[in-house]
Amino acid sequence: MAVGIVPTSEISVNYNGRITWFVVLSSMVAATGGIIFGYDIGISGGVISMAPFLKKFFPEVFTKMTQTTKISNYCKFDSQLLTAFTSSLYIAGLIASFFASPVTRTFGRRPSIIVGGVAFLIGSALGGAASNIYMLLLGRIMLGVGVGFANQSVPLYLSEMAPAKYRGSFNIAFQLCVGIGVLSASLLNYGVAKIKAGWGWRISLAMAAAPAIFLTVGAFYLPETANSLIQHGNDHEKAKKILQRVRGTFDVQAELDDLIKASDNSKAVKHPFKQIIKRKYRPQLVMSIAIPFFQQVTGINVISFYAPILFQTIGLGASASLMSAVVTGLVGTSATLLALLIVDKVGRRAMFSFGGIQMLVSQLLIGVIMAVKLGDQGVMSKGYGLLVLVLICIYVAGFSLSWGPLGWLVPSEIFPLEIRSAAQSITVAVGLIFTFIIAQTFLAMLCHLKSGIFFFFGAWVVIMTGFVYFFLPETRNLPIESMEKIWRDHWFWKRFVCDEQDYDKGDT
């Protein structure tokens, strides 16, 4: 089977243009949506490891923490109510992402970004002022609405604004901001945990408003993308001016013509969610489901949500656990920055493969060490605890070079305009569904599988790395509106994609 036949830059369409300050600044503002998402991921794990927070909202868990003699190391934090605090955000984000799709398609990318920012502001206020569990969960739900809208619109915005040959780097700015958000949250948690009065967790939850304010205010000054202007309006001249401004050249007619052609196809589609299930969109539908699913079963959110708890499980103290989370956040952010610099040179498939191997090896070693050296009620030595921390950092670096940024980049660049908003909603929804499932079940899984949980996620890494090798074509340097070609030339997907004549007729 001709697995090696993968379209690359040889089929690229060359548009005029360069990187301008206008497109850089616009993308920086939009990518702040990633800081919001990352901040929430990082903040929740640190907050639920703080004794004053647990004592106020989850007294049963606090009691188990203090009764260490009869309870397994792996089961101290096993509480469905505690996991509901973390996972409620993601079920809310799942529902919100489907409302975000028609908003993004009908009104543009910018309104969805604004809605996401406002919802996150409300959620951060409720969380910081929470006086009972219901107010706390309501705040998490509003944060989820913000995540649903922002994650649906920001990756699309970045992919559509970026020049084709730099699209990977621009889009990975979203994942870089996610890493910055996680790192910022970990640093803040480490600082506020030292407040002796015990109200430091309120600062952690309320400070989510800082990136939300920046995103919301900044979004009012963002230009709409040319793709979106053409899709929901007929002002081609305005779209041309935007293109000229973001590309830094007056000669944008070739790109504009392709955008208009894509928009004409898009306007013929009245129900994109019905359209995407047609045979000719089978590759995009599979990728919109498989990629976010695989991104979640790497196990990364286990590390991100529960890093301080995990480090306490292997014997580190509360303060040391929070600092260890800072270290892993710093490693992840640095690796994502490296990914941003090399993605348009190395390509997507190579980064998926190298990152997958790195994650697999580190997960297997962590599982072996915890099985042999920790046990149910033992204490891991400081040396082995530090070794586990190093291996977790290697794992995080592998994820941040591969499934972290590419899990957002690839889905945002492979969808044709007529199904783009719907497909991105599916991508976000699938990601949030499995984020919710893993967040809700992880502490119970840790209690029952113990160190075997790392072998569980390692098995999924093997499967996803094979899937990418056989079924995902290279998208490097190909303009977003010319992406259809990669499926026609792929050894497997070409049997599903219609020829050009059938495509024009809309035949399935």
Side-chain angles (χ1 to χ4, degrees):
M1 109 179 82
V3 178
I5 301 177
V6 181
T8 57
S9 57
E10 282 75 18
I11 61 174
S12 175
V13 178
N14 292 318
Y15 295 140
N16 293 313
R18 56 185 174 83
I19 297 178
T20 63
W21 279 109
F22 184 74
V23 74
V24 169
L25 292 174
S26 298
S27 298
M28 286 175 62
V29 172
T32 309
I35 294 181
I36 289 177
F37 188 38
Y39 184 89
D40 175 77
I41 291 174
I43 213 70
S44 56
V47 164
I48 62 177
S49 71
M50 296 180 187
F53 178 82
L54 290 175
K55 191 173 182 180
K56 181 175 180 62
F57 295 106
F58 307 99
E60 292 181 5
V61 176
F62 178 75
T63 300
K64 283 197 286 185
M65 280 180 61
T66 59
Q67 296 176 351
T68 56
T69 54
K70 297 181 180 180
I71 299 176
S72 168
N73 285 317
Y74 297 97
C75 299
K76 293 177 183 177
F77 295 91
D78 184 16
S79 165
Q80 287 300 300
L81 185 60
L82 180 62
T83 52
F85 165 72
T86 299
S87 59
S88 57
L89 179 148
Y90 302 101
I91 200 68
L94 163 66
I95 297 171
S97 68
F98 286 104
F99 287 96
S101 176
V103 172
T104 303
R105 177 180 169 88
T106 305
F107 300 104
R109 285 52 170 153
R110 190 177 68 167
S112 283
I113 295 174
I114 293 172
V115 171
V118 171
F120 214 86
L121 277 171
I122 296 172
S124 59
L126 288 171
S131 57
N132 55 59
I133 188 64
Y134 304 106
M135 191 172 177
L136 190 69
L137 292 177
L138 180 60
R140 294 288 293 175
I141 290 171
M142 290 306 301
L143 295 177
V145 173
V147 166
F149 272 85
N151 285 9
Q152 203 275 344
S153 52
V154 170
L156 288 184
Y157 185 92
L158 295 172
S159 286
E160 291 178 349
M161 285 290 285
K165 61 183 178 180
Y166 301 112
R167 185 177 60 250
S169 296
F170 272 79
N171 194 282
I172 287 179
F174 179 79
Q175 179 65 22
L176 178 63
C177 285
V178 172
I180 292 172
V182 172
L183 178 59
S184 301
S186 299
L187 285 167
L188 186 62
N189 279 335
Y190 179 73
V192 301
K194 298 181 181 298
I195 297 177
K196 295 182 180 180
W199 46 265
W201 61 268
R202 291 192 182 275
I203 298 177
S204 292
L205 296 180
M207 281 299 291
I213 291 172
F214 183 83
L215 177 67
T216 306
V217 174
F220 282 100
Y221 297 95
L222 287 178
E224 190 57 87
T225 68
N227 311 61
S228 182
L229 288 171
I230 294 171
Q231 183 182 30
H232 67 261
N234 295 313
D235 193 348
H236 294 173
E237 190 61 33
K238 184 177 181 180
K240 184 176 182 178
K241 289 179 179 178
I242 286 292
L243 266 184
Q244 289 172 339
R245 194 173 182 189
V246 299
R247 300 291 179 253
T249 179
F250 290 103
D251 187 9
V252 296
Q253 193 60 46
E255 184 174 3
L256 181 65
D257 290 342
D258 281 350
L259 295 182
I260 293 172
K261 180 181 177 181
S263 179
D264 290 340
N265 290 332
S266 172
K267 290 176 180 177
V269 176
K270 301 300 181 184
H271 303 288
F273 283 102
K274 291 182 180 179
Q275 189 77 4
I276 197 173
I277 64 174
K278 292 184 177 180
R279 181 180 176 86
K280 65 182 178 182
Y281 297 118
R282 193 62 48 78
Q284 293 92 337
L285 178 61
V286 170
M287 294 301 165
S288 70
I289 296 171
I291 290 177
F293 166 73
F294 285 139
Q295 187 186 46
Q296 299 312 313
V297 294
T298 58
I300 186 61
N301 282 335
V302 167
I303 304 297
S304 300
F305 293 151
Y306 301 115
I309 287 178
L310 193 60
F311 291 132
Q312 284 192 46
T313 297
I314 64 174
L316 298 180
S319 181
S321 297
L322 290 172
M323 178 49 69
S324 299
V326 172
V327 172
T328 57
L330 184 60
V331 169
T333 303
S334 301
T336 303
L337 180 59
L338 176 60
L340 183 150
L341 297 174
I342 67 174
V343 64
D344 290 315
K345 298 181 178 69
V346 175
R348 283 63 161 157
R349 282 164 51 87
M351 291 175 65
F352 270 127
S353 298
F354 288 126
I357 293 170
Q358 186 171 330
M359 286 191 293
L360 175 62
V361 172
S362 55
Q363 282 178 317
L364 294 180
L365 290 174
I366 292 169
V368 169
I369 292 172
M370 290 184 69
V372 174
K373 296 296 180 180
L374 181 62
D376 264 2
Q377 296 179 355
V379 178
M380 186 178 289
S381 69
K382 184 177 180 181
Y384 279 105
L386 291 176
L387 178 57
V388 169
L389 173 59
V390 170
L391 290 171
I392 287 177
C393 288
I394 293 172
Y395 165 81
V396 169
F399 176 84
S400 300
L401 282 170
S402 58
W403 282 94
L406 300 181
W408 293 105
L409 168 60
V410 174
S412 72
E413 66 184 359
I414 63 174
F415 305 133
L417 186 61
E418 63 267 22
I419 61 166
R420 188 171 300 157
S421 181
Q424 183 68 11
S425 284
I426 293 173
T427 297
V428 173
V430 171
L432 290 171
I433 287 172
F434 286 98
T435 302
F436 168 78
I437 291 172
I438 291 173
Q440 189 65 30
T441 61
F442 168 68
L443 293 178
M445 289 173 64
L446 181 64
C447 182
H448 290 86
L449 296 179
K450 301 179 173 58
S451 60
I453 196 165
F454 291 97
F455 301 110
F456 171 80
F457 288 119
W460 279 113
V461 171
V462 173
I463 294 171
M464 67 184 72
T465 303
F467 174 85
V468 167
Y469 179 78
F470 288 107
F471 298 111
L472 181 66
E474 182 59 68
T475 59
R476 177 171 58 101
N477 292 343
L478 190 65
I480 195 170
E481 303 303 348
S482 302
M483 203 61 70
E484 175 201 347
K485 299 174 183 177
I486 63 173
W487 310 113
R488 294 186 181 281
D489 294 340
H490 189 270
W491 70 273
F492 181 78
W493 297 117
K494 64 183 180 182
R495 72 190 69 184
F496 295 97
V497 181
C498 303
D499 61 32
E500 191 67 34
Q501 183 178 0
D502 289 339
Y503 182 86
D504 291 339
K505 292 178 180 178
D507 189 7
T508 61

